[in-house]
Amino acid sequence: MFRHLLVPTDGSDLSLAAVRQAIALARESAARMTVVHVMERLLLTPQGALFGDAAGFDPELLQRVHQAEQAQAQAVLGEARRLAEAGGVVCDAVLREQGVIHEAILETAASQGCDLIFMASHGRRGLAGLVLGSVTQRVLNHSELPVLVYRQPGSAA
């Protein structure tokens, strides 16, 4: 059975539902959990952002936005950790800043010694799924570990 679950969370309702289900699995199998939240990294220069939609914006404004995003990420991780501990599951929390989210998830699983990735599927379909892709799909495609994908009951198949 699995001993250490990695549970990526973005704070969405579906993500929190997956956290709750991962807690139940961890409790039943006497496993521990690590929750991870990945923030997209902004590359800042004295002139503003080097890449992305933020290029050319005031660096001080970008820094304040970044700090607010970090605070929100810490709140998301804190809520997931609180839920796990209330459910009797030992839980660590990791905040990552990286440009490629699925790579950060896979690297975290490896560095934390996890043996299962338990994550939500946001269920993008059609053109949106094709063009935008899916973090979950990319994790499935690149992971050497088992990946359990949680799909909320009642969501479209």
Side-chain angles (χ1 to χ4, degrees):
M1 200 59 171
F2 301 108
R3 310 307 311 154
H4 190 174
L5 286 58
L6 180 71
V7 185
T9 181
D10 62 9
S12 66
D13 290 343
L14 180 58
S15 180
L16 285 174
V19 167
R20 288 182 182 95
Q21 292 301 311
I23 292 165
L25 176 63
R27 186 176 45 246
E28 290 173 12
S29 55
R32 57 185 298 227
M33 282 177 42
T34 296
V35 291
V36 61
H37 180 85
V38 183
M39 291 175 46
E40 278 192 272
R41 178 177 32 201
L42 286 178
L43 300 178
L44 300 177
T45 69
Q47 295 78 33
L50 184 60
F51 296 110
D53 292 337
F57 280 86
D58 175 22
E60 290 179 24
L61 174 62
L62 291 174
Q63 187 62 35
R64 287 194 303 271
V65 168
H66 185 246
Q67 289 170 344
E69 288 175 344
Q70 283 182 318
Q72 176 62 29
Q74 290 294 349
V76 165
L77 289 170
E79 174 66 7
R81 191 171 184 184
R82 184 193 64 74
L83 289 169
E85 291 172 353
V89 174
V90 174
C91 183
D92 294 318
V94 175
L95 174 59
R96 297 282 306 260
E97 288 189 50
Q98 190 163 330
V100 183
I101 295 172
H102 78 276
E103 288 177 3
I105 291 168
L106 295 172
E107 289 168 8
T108 303
S111 69
Q112 297 294 313
C114 298
D115 55 4
L116 175 71
I117 301 171
F118 190 119
M119 63 191 302
S121 170
H122 286 281
R124 286 194 182 102
R125 295 231 182 298
L127 186 58
L130 180 65
V131 173
L132 297 175
S134 161
V135 171
T136 304
Q137 187 63 46
R138 288 184 178 122
V139 169
L140 282 166
N141 288 341
H142 297 283
S143 180
E144 295 180 11
L145 295 175
V147 179
L148 191 155
V149 179
Y150 174 76
R151 186 167 196 78
Q152 186 141 13
S155 62

